[in-house]
Amino acid sequence: MNRIVGGAYAAVEAARSSSRPTALDYISNVFTSFIELHGDRRGGDDPSLVGGLALLDGCPVTVLAIEKGHTARQRQARNFGSVHPEGYRKALRLMRQAQKFARPVVCLVDTAGAGCGLADEQHGIGQAIAENLTELAGLSVPVISVIIGEGGSGGALGLALADQVWILEGAYYSVISPEGCAQILWKDPAKASEAAACLHLTARDALDLGVADRIIPETDFGKKPFYDSLREALSEEIQNLRKEPGLSDKRYARFRRF
Amino acid sequence: MALLHFLKPANALEAGGRDHLPVQSDAMEPELTCPECRRSTPVSRLQSRYMVCPCGYHFRMNARQRIRMAVDAGTFREAFADIVGNNPLAFPGYPEKLETARAASRENEAVICGTGKIGGHPCALFFMEPGFMMGSMGTAVGERITRTFELAYEKGLPVVGFTVSGGARMQEGLLSLMQMAKVSAAVRRHADAGLLYIAVLTDPTTGGVTASFAMEADITLAEPGATIGFAGKRIVEQTTGKRLPKGFQKAETVEEEGFIDRIVSRQQLKTTLVMLLAMHPAGGERT
Ligand SMILES: [Zn+2]
């Protein structure tokens, strides 16, 4: 039992590690010709959400990625990957652009949770996520979301209402942080490891629950073969999805089963 | 006439939850003390005025009371009541919590759905229940609300929904999170058919419900004084590192910030709904 308890929380701690590859590492190694596009056209640009165009095996795609940064300074600048409403609205703008140009969307998710500062509330963080959910639900282009580290609650879901949801072997996906859960249930954030085990948040759990479609192994993690095989998998899946008519209906059915 | 149908259900929680339990006055009639003006008012008097204090403070209401307040008498047909939550992740203590919630609220889940008429306009309806784990959203809640939107889509009906929720139900883990996606997809499909969705945000509407269907309506109304937000106050305070401004996450502030169309008191609510429904002739524009 103790081993299992340690297991789930150990996975969370590993997923949070600043030494893990972040979204920008994936962008530069999986894609080519990345061109970052800034701004939500509503008055802001959120560095925690990196959006733009890139080539995946020569095909143009829209990339929406949550970037945490590696160094303390980078992490501060990226708000530790907690996306502000401006970031979700930048993503929304680029989703609509992807739809216009019939371009597939690849989302890289890595967040402990959406931004929870005063300005985030004042600028409608809940509304921003909600609007992304209805937007993603209606897209007729392929959408693949890969949870590369932390899949923290609504902040992650705001980029993960996708045709295919993949999760890295060492990533997690959860409705609430284990600490938050422990605080609410037992008024004791120190019981986070018990909470983690109860929440069924590991990559394996996500797959078993049907929340994730595929686990991406971390063989040669962060090295060329790892990125090469991810590129191959993404490219192949996008080809498959492109052949399927009625993607938004299939996406509806995918989430309908929960 | 509407007032006659506004009867008191036998439910201690209806009066607003733990914060405002009825106190016995000398006359032995239960009273409620208003947290705004500190005045005590007999519960029977409050019930005849939609649980609104003479000062305007809105006490919490349960879902059945809201149905009586908003829906034409005798027209509500409850649906999907057989969909109930179990314990999909074998979460410790959850079955006991469900038992307690069922006993306390006399409801079997945290939302009541169905069809009914508002001012003669047929609608699909949902009413979240604060007495049931503070309206938390698990698979049963998500499924009932999704089916409500699907029913409305099939029959070409508008949806009127009352939200009150602490957010996603953590005891159902990722399956609760997926409800946000599932309901949102159903909202989108209903919207694409040109059908109207009116959300009425009541105290409190937070977390995953705010980040999904509470904020996806064509017209978003809110009750005065309702707390509406995403993250909990404590978390925002910790993140911000200073005291939160007055009126933080209050409906009036959220309206100023641009995320609510209109704050409507309970006395005005039904009239407002009827006017809005009348301006959206049934069917809409199918795409
Ligand atoms: Zn008062």
Side-chain angles (χ1 to χ4, degrees):
Chain A
M1 181 65 192
N2 263 338
R3 200 174 56 83
I4 299 167
V5 165
Y9 194 61
V12 172
E13 288 184 312
R16 287 171 177 167
S17 160
S18 60
S19 62
R20 269 181 88 82
T22 65
L24 287 177
D25 299 316
Y26 287 77
I27 287 175
S28 53
N29 288 289
V30 173
F31 305 89
T32 54
S33 306
F34 178 67
I35 302 172
E36 185 170 2
L37 302 174
H38 289 277
D40 67 356
R41 302 298 187 273
R42 298 290 181 269
D45 182 42
D46 177 5
S48 65
L49 192 295
V50 175
L53 304 180
L55 297 177
L56 178 72
D57 252 351
C59 286
V61 295
T62 291
V63 181
L64 304 171
I66 304 177
E67 171 61 25
K68 274 185 171 172
H70 288 288
T71 66
R73 180 182 291 212
Q74 287 168 350
R75 286 166 85 83
Q76 188 91 38
R78 305 282 182 181
N79 197 32
F80 307 90
S82 283
V83 181
H84 300 298
E86 293 75 11
Y88 289 107
R89 293 191 182 113
K90 171 163 60 181
L92 178 74
R93 176 174 80 82
L94 296 175
M95 285 171 201
R96 289 179 176 158
Q97 194 184 78
Q99 175 75 17
K100 175 176 177 183
F101 296 105
R103 204 158 47 214
V105 178
V106 177
C107 300
L108 303 171
V109 177
D110 189 10
T111 180
C116 51
L118 177 59
D120 295 312
E121 290 293 320
Q122 291 171 328
H123 299 174
I125 185 69
Q127 186 275 338
I129 293 170
E131 193 169 5
N132 281 14
L133 295 180
T134 52
E135 189 65 26
L136 283 165
L139 293 182
S140 58
V141 296
V143 184
I144 302 178
S145 294
V146 187
I147 298 166
I148 59 170
E150 293 193 84
S153 194
L157 183 67
L159 290 175
L161 201 164
D163 301 303
Q164 285 278 310
V165 178
W166 299 351
I167 183 165
L168 271 279
E169 193 182 348
Y172 79 92
Y173 196 10
S174 182
V175 68
I176 186 169
S177 74
E179 292 80 7
C181 179
Q183 170 67 35
I184 294 170
L185 277 189
W186 304 302
K187 310 273 175 248
D188 183 6
K191 290 191 173 165
S193 68
E194 278 98 320
C198 296
L199 285 166
H200 292 248
L201 46 62
T202 65
R204 184 75 228 179
D205 293 324
L207 186 77
D208 290 346
L209 290 168
V211 169
D213 303 282
R214 197 186 288 196
I215 293 177
I216 305 297
E218 296 182 359
T219 319
D220 293 316
F221 195 34
K223 301 200 179 83
K224 190 170 180 300
F226 167 78
Y227 293 118
D228 286 347
S229 81
L230 180 58
R231 180 190 317 114
E232 217 167 283
L234 284 170
S235 186
E236 190 186 317
E237 190 59 44
I238 284 173
Q239 304 287 335
N240 291 339
L241 290 169
R242 273 208 148 134
K243 288 185 209 124
E244 293 184 33
L247 273 182
S248 80
D249 287 342
K250 292 202 171 93
R251 206 173 298 129
Y252 190 92
R254 186 192 182 281
F255 287 90
R256 187 66 191 83
R257 62 176 197 254
F258 297 114
Chain B
M1 185 63 193
L3 295 184
L4 287 179
H5 293 282
F6 189 68
L7 302 172
K8 177 183 162 58
N11 178 351
L13 274 174
E14 63 158 343
R18 283 162 300 190
D19 304 344
H20 320 298
L21 285 177
V23 290
Q24 296 292 120
S25 73
D26 291 345
M28 293 306 284
E29 192 185 0
E31 292 186 334
L32 283 175
T33 303
C34 172
E36 287 289 319
C37 71
R38 314 304 309 169
R39 182 162 22 177
S40 293
T41 311
V43 171
S44 60
R45 173 129 189 276
L46 284 173
Q47 277 160 3
S48 69
R49 37 181 299 128
Y50 306 119
M51 303 302 290
V52 178
C53 178
C55 81
Y57 175 81
H58 284 51
F59 287 93
R60 271 186 199 146
M61 277 177 125
N62 66 31
R64 300 282 166 193
Q65 287 180 312
R66 290 196 178 282
I67 293 170
R68 281 184 208 95
M69 177 178 80
V71 185
D72 299 350
T75 66
F76 185 71
R77 300 282 172 273
E78 188 167 350
F80 321 126
D82 54 329
I83 299 164
V84 289
N86 48 23
N87 191 5
L89 302 184
F91 201 99
Y94 183 36
E96 294 75 16
K97 253 186 192 132
L98 286 173
E99 279 305 304
T100 310
R102 281 178 187 140
S105 65
R106 301 199 179 182
E107 301 295 346
N108 63 1
E109 256 302 339
V111 69
I112 299 170
C113 299
T115 55
K117 290 183 177 176
I118 296 178
H121 301 281
C123 298
L125 302 155
F126 69 86
F127 300 85
M128 298 187 85
E129 171 56 59
F132 195 105
M133 299 179 74
M134 195 40 85
S136 85
M137 174 166 64
T139 49
V141 168
E143 184 65 20
R144 285 183 184 189
I145 296 176
T146 299
R147 290 206 195 184
T148 302
F149 277 94
E150 288 177 340
L151 176 84
Y153 170 76
E154 281 156 25
K155 296 195 183 292
L157 294 173
V159 173
V160 177
F162 289 74
T163 62
V164 49
S165 183
R169 192 175 297 173
M170 61 186 173
Q171 290 89 347
E172 294 184 29
L174 276 173
L175 298 172
S176 294
L177 189 69
M178 293 303 112
Q179 303 310 309
M180 293 167 62
K182 181 170 88 176
V183 177
S184 295
V187 171
R188 172 65 189 257
R189 180 174 279 196
H190 179 260
D192 282 349
L195 298 166
L196 172 69
Y197 166 31
I198 302 175
V200 185
L201 279 42
T202 77
D203 185 56
T205 294
T206 60
V209 168
T210 295
S212 61
F213 57 89
M215 285 292 173
E216 292 168 352
D218 299 295
I219 295 170
T220 309
L221 307 178
E223 286 198 340
T227 292
I228 296 160
F230 179 62
K233 277 192 179 119
R234 197 174 48 82
I235 291 166
V236 179
E237 208 153 33
Q238 276 171 12
T239 308
T240 311
K242 49 187 168 200
R243 281 195 58 192
L244 298 171
K246 202 170 177 296
F248 175 73
Q249 288 186 337
K250 287 289 163 209
E252 291 73 11
T253 309
V254 180
E255 184 190 50
E256 275 175 26
E257 290 160 354
F259 297 100
I260 289 169
D261 285 293
R262 207 175 162 76
I263 294 172
V264 183
S265 72
R266 285 181 194 149
Q267 289 91 334
Q268 290 300 314
L269 183 63
K270 179 144 186 181
T271 319
T272 306
L273 289 175
V274 174
M275 283 170 70
L276 289 170
L277 288 163
M279 289 180 199
H280 293 82
E285 196 178 309
R286 287 204 173 252
T287 52

